[in-house]
Protein backbone atom coordinates (compact mmCIF):
# COMPACT_ATOMS: atom_id res chain seq x y z
CA UNK A 1 0.00 0.00 0.00
CA UNK A 2 1.26 3.54 -0.69
CA UNK A 3 2.55 5.48 2.30
CA UNK A 4 -0.08 7.67 3.93
CA UNK A 5 0.52 11.42 3.87
CA UNK A 6 0.15 13.33 7.16
CA UNK A 7 -3.45 14.43 7.50
CA UNK A 8 -3.05 17.60 9.55
CA UNK A 9 -1.18 20.79 8.79
CA UNK A 10 0.89 20.35 11.95
CA UNK A 11 1.85 16.81 11.01
CA UNK A 12 2.82 17.89 7.50
CA UNK A 13 4.91 20.73 8.93
CA UNK A 14 6.72 18.35 11.25
CA UNK A 15 7.42 16.00 8.37
CA UNK A 16 8.90 18.80 6.28
CA UNK A 17 11.00 19.99 9.23
CA UNK A 18 12.29 16.46 9.83
CA UNK A 19 13.28 16.11 6.18
CA UNK A 20 15.01 19.49 6.21
CA UNK A 21 16.86 18.64 9.44
CA UNK A 22 17.98 15.35 7.96
CA UNK A 23 19.29 17.12 4.87
CA UNK A 24 21.20 19.65 6.99
CA UNK A 25 22.75 16.92 9.12
CA UNK A 26 23.71 14.95 6.03
CA UNK A 27 25.42 17.96 4.47
CA UNK A 28 27.11 19.20 7.65
CA UNK A 29 30.23 16.98 7.41
CA UNK A 30 30.85 17.98 3.78
CA UNK A 31 30.36 21.64 4.69
CA UNK A 32 32.89 21.29 7.51
CA UNK A 33 35.44 19.75 5.14
CA UNK A 34 35.02 22.53 2.58
CA UNK A 35 35.40 25.17 5.29
CA UNK A 36 38.46 23.55 6.88
CA UNK A 37 40.21 23.21 3.51
CA UNK A 38 39.36 26.69 2.26
CA UNK A 39 42.48 28.50 1.13
CA UNK A 40 44.67 25.41 1.59
CA UNK A 41 44.36 23.83 -1.86
CA UNK A 42 47.16 24.44 -4.33
CA UNK A 43 48.82 23.12 -7.49
CA UNK A 44 52.36 21.81 -7.81
CA UNK A 45 53.35 25.21 -9.19
CA UNK A 46 52.00 27.46 -6.43
CA UNK A 47 52.04 25.31 -3.29
CA UNK A 48 54.25 26.82 -0.56
CA UNK A 49 57.47 24.95 0.12
CA UNK A 50 57.43 22.50 3.01
CA UNK A 51 60.03 20.07 4.28
CA UNK A 52 57.72 17.06 3.92
CA UNK A 53 55.10 15.82 1.49
CA UNK A 54 52.70 13.15 2.74
CA UNK A 55 51.58 10.79 -0.04
CA UNK A 56 48.50 8.72 0.78
CA UNK A 57 48.14 5.15 -0.46
CA UNK A 58 45.49 4.33 -3.06
CA UNK A 59 45.73 0.60 -3.62
CA UNK A 60 47.89 -1.92 -5.43
CA UNK A 61 47.28 -4.11 -8.44
CA UNK A 62 49.44 -7.22 -8.62
CA UNK A 63 51.87 -5.64 -6.21
CA UNK A 64 52.25 -2.39 -8.14
CA UNK A 65 50.59 1.00 -7.59
CA UNK A 66 47.20 1.44 -9.18
CA UNK A 67 46.99 4.22 -11.80
CA UNK A 68 45.54 6.64 -9.24
CA UNK A 69 48.33 5.90 -6.78
CA UNK A 70 50.91 6.22 -9.56
CA UNK A 71 49.54 9.67 -10.37
CA UNK A 72 49.92 10.69 -6.72
CA UNK A 73 53.50 9.45 -6.73
CA UNK A 74 54.29 11.23 -10.00
CA UNK A 75 53.04 14.46 -8.43
CA UNK A 76 55.10 13.89 -5.29
CA UNK A 77 58.20 13.22 -7.39
CA UNK A 78 57.59 16.48 -9.24
CA UNK A 79 57.37 18.35 -5.94
CA UNK A 80 60.70 16.83 -4.92
CA UNK A 81 62.41 17.56 -8.22
CA UNK A 82 61.31 21.19 -8.19
CA UNK A 83 62.50 21.70 -4.62
CA UNK A 84 59.05 22.27 -3.13
CA UNK A 85 59.65 19.45 -0.62
CA UNK A 86 62.74 17.70 0.68
CA UNK A 87 61.35 14.41 2.03
CA UNK A 88 58.43 12.21 0.98
CA UNK A 89 56.47 10.35 3.65
CA UNK A 90 54.59 7.54 1.94
CA UNK A 91 51.75 6.21 4.07
CA UNK A 92 49.66 3.15 3.33
CA UNK A 93 48.45 -0.28 4.30
CA UNK A 94 50.81 -3.11 5.23
CA UNK A 95 48.42 -4.99 7.48
CA UNK A 96 49.36 -8.31 5.87
CA UNK A 97 52.55 -9.70 4.41
CA UNK A 98 51.22 -10.03 0.87
CA UNK A 99 50.05 -6.40 0.71
CA UNK A 100 52.63 -3.65 1.19
CA UNK A 101 51.63 -0.25 -0.17
CA UNK A 102 54.54 1.78 1.27
CA UNK A 103 57.21 -0.50 -0.19
CA UNK A 104 55.56 -0.43 -3.61
CA UNK A 105 55.34 3.35 -3.38
CA UNK A 106 59.02 3.60 -2.47
CA UNK A 107 60.03 1.36 -5.38
CA UNK A 108 57.97 3.45 -7.80
CA UNK A 109 59.55 6.69 -6.60
CA UNK A 110 63.14 5.45 -6.64
CA UNK A 111 62.63 4.14 -10.18
CA UNK A 112 61.76 7.71 -11.12
CA UNK A 113 64.82 9.29 -9.61
CA UNK A 114 63.84 10.12 -6.04
CA UNK A 115 66.73 9.07 -3.76
CA UNK A 116 65.86 6.26 -1.39
CA UNK A 117 67.16 8.31 1.53
CA UNK A 118 64.57 11.01 0.84
CA UNK A 119 61.66 8.56 1.27
CA UNK A 120 60.21 7.56 4.64
CA UNK A 121 57.63 4.77 4.94
CA UNK A 122 54.61 4.63 7.23
CA UNK A 123 53.35 1.06 7.18
CA UNK A 124 50.24 1.66 9.31
CA UNK A 125 48.42 4.36 7.36
CA UNK A 126 45.22 2.35 7.24
CA UNK A 127 42.99 5.33 6.54
CA UNK A 128 43.28 9.09 6.17
CA UNK A 129 42.85 9.86 9.87
CA UNK A 130 45.43 7.26 10.88
CA UNK A 131 47.91 8.65 8.36
CA UNK A 132 47.45 12.21 9.62
CA UNK A 133 47.74 11.31 13.29
CA UNK A 134 50.77 9.10 12.73
CA UNK A 135 52.45 11.79 10.62
CA UNK A 136 52.20 14.13 13.61
CA UNK A 137 52.63 11.82 16.61
CA UNK A 138 54.94 9.13 15.23
CA UNK A 139 57.00 10.97 12.61
CA UNK A 140 56.93 14.47 14.12
CA UNK A 141 55.53 16.19 11.03
CA UNK A 142 53.76 19.44 11.90
CA UNK A 143 53.85 21.11 8.44
CA UNK A 144 53.38 19.28 5.17
CA UNK A 145 52.11 19.17 1.63
CA UNK A 146 49.46 16.49 1.18
CA UNK A 147 49.31 14.66 -2.15
CA UNK A 148 46.16 12.82 -3.17
CA UNK A 149 43.36 12.95 -5.76
CA UNK A 150 41.28 16.09 -6.14
CA UNK A 151 38.12 14.45 -4.76
CA UNK A 152 39.96 13.35 -1.57
CA UNK A 153 42.20 16.33 -0.89
CA UNK A 154 39.70 18.40 1.13
CA UNK A 155 39.11 15.54 3.56
CA UNK A 156 42.85 14.97 3.87
CA UNK A 157 43.54 18.64 4.62
CA UNK A 158 40.67 18.89 7.11
CA UNK A 159 41.70 15.76 9.00
CA UNK A 160 45.40 16.57 9.07
CA UNK A 161 44.58 20.05 10.32
CA UNK A 162 42.56 18.49 13.14
CA UNK A 163 45.46 16.11 13.88
CA UNK A 164 47.84 19.03 14.30
CA UNK A 165 49.48 19.15 10.88
CA UNK A 166 49.50 22.55 9.16
CA UNK A 167 49.01 21.32 5.63
CA UNK A 168 48.44 22.47 2.09
CA UNK A 169 46.84 19.99 -0.28
CA UNK A 170 47.74 19.27 -3.89
CA UNK A 171 44.82 17.53 -5.55
CA UNK A 172 45.76 15.39 -8.53
CA UNK A 173 43.18 15.88 -11.31
CA UNK A 174 41.80 12.82 -13.06
CA UNK A 175 39.53 12.19 -16.05
CA UNK A 176 35.92 11.85 -14.97
CA UNK A 177 35.80 8.13 -15.56
CA UNK A 178 34.09 5.37 -13.59
CA UNK A 179 36.80 5.36 -10.93
CA UNK A 180 36.55 9.13 -10.47
CA UNK A 181 32.79 8.98 -10.02
CA UNK A 182 33.15 6.11 -7.57
CA UNK A 183 35.73 8.05 -5.55
CA UNK A 184 33.64 11.21 -5.55
CA UNK A 185 30.54 9.31 -4.39
CA UNK A 186 32.55 7.52 -1.73
CA UNK A 187 33.65 10.89 -0.33
CA UNK A 188 30.03 11.76 0.46
CA UNK A 189 29.87 8.80 2.84
CA UNK A 190 33.46 9.19 4.10
CA UNK A 191 32.68 12.74 5.18
CA UNK A 192 30.56 11.44 8.04
CA UNK A 193 33.34 9.27 9.43
CA UNK A 194 35.80 12.13 8.95
CA UNK A 195 33.61 14.44 11.03
CA UNK A 196 33.41 11.80 13.77
CA UNK A 197 37.18 11.31 13.72
CA UNK A 198 37.72 15.06 13.90
CA UNK A 199 35.31 15.37 16.80
CA UNK A 200 36.32 12.31 18.82
CA UNK A 201 40.00 12.31 17.80
CA UNK A 202 40.53 8.57 18.34
CA UNK A 203 43.95 6.98 18.40
CA UNK A 204 44.85 5.31 15.11
CA UNK A 205 44.52 1.56 14.75
CA UNK A 206 48.22 1.30 15.50
CA UNK A 207 50.11 4.21 17.01
CA UNK A 208 53.40 2.70 18.11
CA UNK A 209 56.54 4.52 19.25
CA UNK A 210 57.99 7.67 17.77
CA UNK A 211 60.17 7.17 14.70
CA UNK A 212 63.07 9.37 13.62
CA UNK A 213 62.98 8.60 9.90
CA UNK A 214 61.74 12.02 8.81
CA UNK A 215 64.08 13.93 11.15
CA UNK A 216 67.07 11.88 10.02
CA UNK A 217 66.23 12.34 6.33
CA UNK A 218 65.93 16.09 6.83
CA UNK A 219 69.19 16.23 8.77
CA UNK A 220 71.09 14.53 5.96
CA UNK A 221 73.33 16.99 4.07
CA UNK A 222 71.84 15.83 0.78
CA UNK A 223 68.39 16.99 1.93
CA UNK A 224 69.65 20.50 2.61
CA UNK A 225 70.37 21.28 -1.01
CA UNK A 226 68.45 20.69 -4.25
CA UNK A 227 69.23 17.62 -6.27
CA UNK A 228 71.14 18.06 -9.52
CA UNK A 229 69.02 19.94 -12.03
CA UNK A 230 66.56 20.95 -9.36
CA UNK A 231 65.46 24.53 -8.81
CA UNK A 232 66.28 25.97 -5.36
CA UNK A 233 63.46 26.09 -2.84
CA UNK A 234 61.86 29.54 -2.61
Amino acid sequence: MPARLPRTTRARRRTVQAVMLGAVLALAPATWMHTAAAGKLRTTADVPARDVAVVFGAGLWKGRPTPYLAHRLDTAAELYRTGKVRVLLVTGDNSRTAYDEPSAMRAYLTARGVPDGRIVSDYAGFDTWDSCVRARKVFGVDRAVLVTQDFHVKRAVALCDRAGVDAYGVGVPEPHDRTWYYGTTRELFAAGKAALDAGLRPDPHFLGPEEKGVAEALASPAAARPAEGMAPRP
Side-chain angles (χ1 to χ4, degrees):
M1 295 180 61
R4 292 182 179 179
L5 296 175
R7 294 182 177 180
T8 67
T9 300
R10 177 178 296 179
R12 287 196 293 271
R13 183 182 299 116
R14 287 177 178 175
T15 300
V16 171
Q17 290 173 341
V19 171
M20 293 178 63
L21 177 61
V24 170
L25 292 176
L27 292 174
T31 301
W32 161 73
M33 288 195 314
H34 282 266
T35 302
K40 303 302 276 295
L41 306 183
R42 295 289 191 272
T43 67
T44 54
D46 65 11
V47 68
R50 291 286 187 265
D51 283 339
V52 180
V54 178
V55 191
F56 296 87
L60 303 178
W61 175 252
K62 297 182 178 179
R64 297 175 61 84
T66 60
Y68 271 35
L69 179 52
H71 297 164
R72 297 182 187 187
L73 296 167
D74 290 337
T75 299
E78 180 182 351
L79 290 171
Y80 177 80
R81 285 193 298 268
T82 57
K84 289 298 182 105
V85 300
R86 299 163 59 199
V87 170
L88 306 180
L89 174 61
V90 295
T91 174
D93 186 352
N94 182 212
S95 57
R96 57 189 189 277
T97 304
Y99 191 85
D100 186 350
E101 277 188 304
S103 292
M105 294 163 77
R106 177 186 291 270
Y108 186 96
L109 288 167
T110 56
R112 282 149 184 82
V114 180
D116 187 73
R118 304 279 74 79
I119 305 168
V120 179
S121 298
D122 173 12
Y123 295 96
F126 301 134
D127 61 21
T128 305
W129 174 250
D130 283 14
S131 293
C132 290
V133 173
R134 284 177 54 81
R136 181 69 184 93
K137 292 186 175 181
V138 175
F139 295 94
V141 175
D142 57 11
R143 286 158 46 98
V145 176
L146 311 181
V147 182
T148 182
Q149 259 69 40
D150 53 4
F151 54 74
H152 174 234
V153 69
K154 292 178 182 177
R155 179 159 60 96
V157 169
L159 286 175
C160 279
D161 177 74
R162 187 59 176 160
V165 180
D166 178 16
Y168 284 91
V170 174
V172 181
E174 299 286 353
H176 290 190
D177 55 12
R178 182 180 301 177
T179 303
W180 186 90
Y181 281 110
Y182 168 79
T184 301
T185 302
R186 181 177 179 273
E187 283 302 304
L188 297 176
F189 297 95
K193 178 182 181 301
L196 286 175
D197 286 338
L200 300 176
R201 303 180 70 178
D203 284 335
H205 293 82
F206 179 78
L207 184 59
E210 294 182 8
E211 297 187 19
K212 298 181 179 180
V214 169
E216 290 174 349
L218 290 172
S220 170
R225 59 181 183 273
E228 183 177 356
M230 180 186 300
R233 296 174 72 235

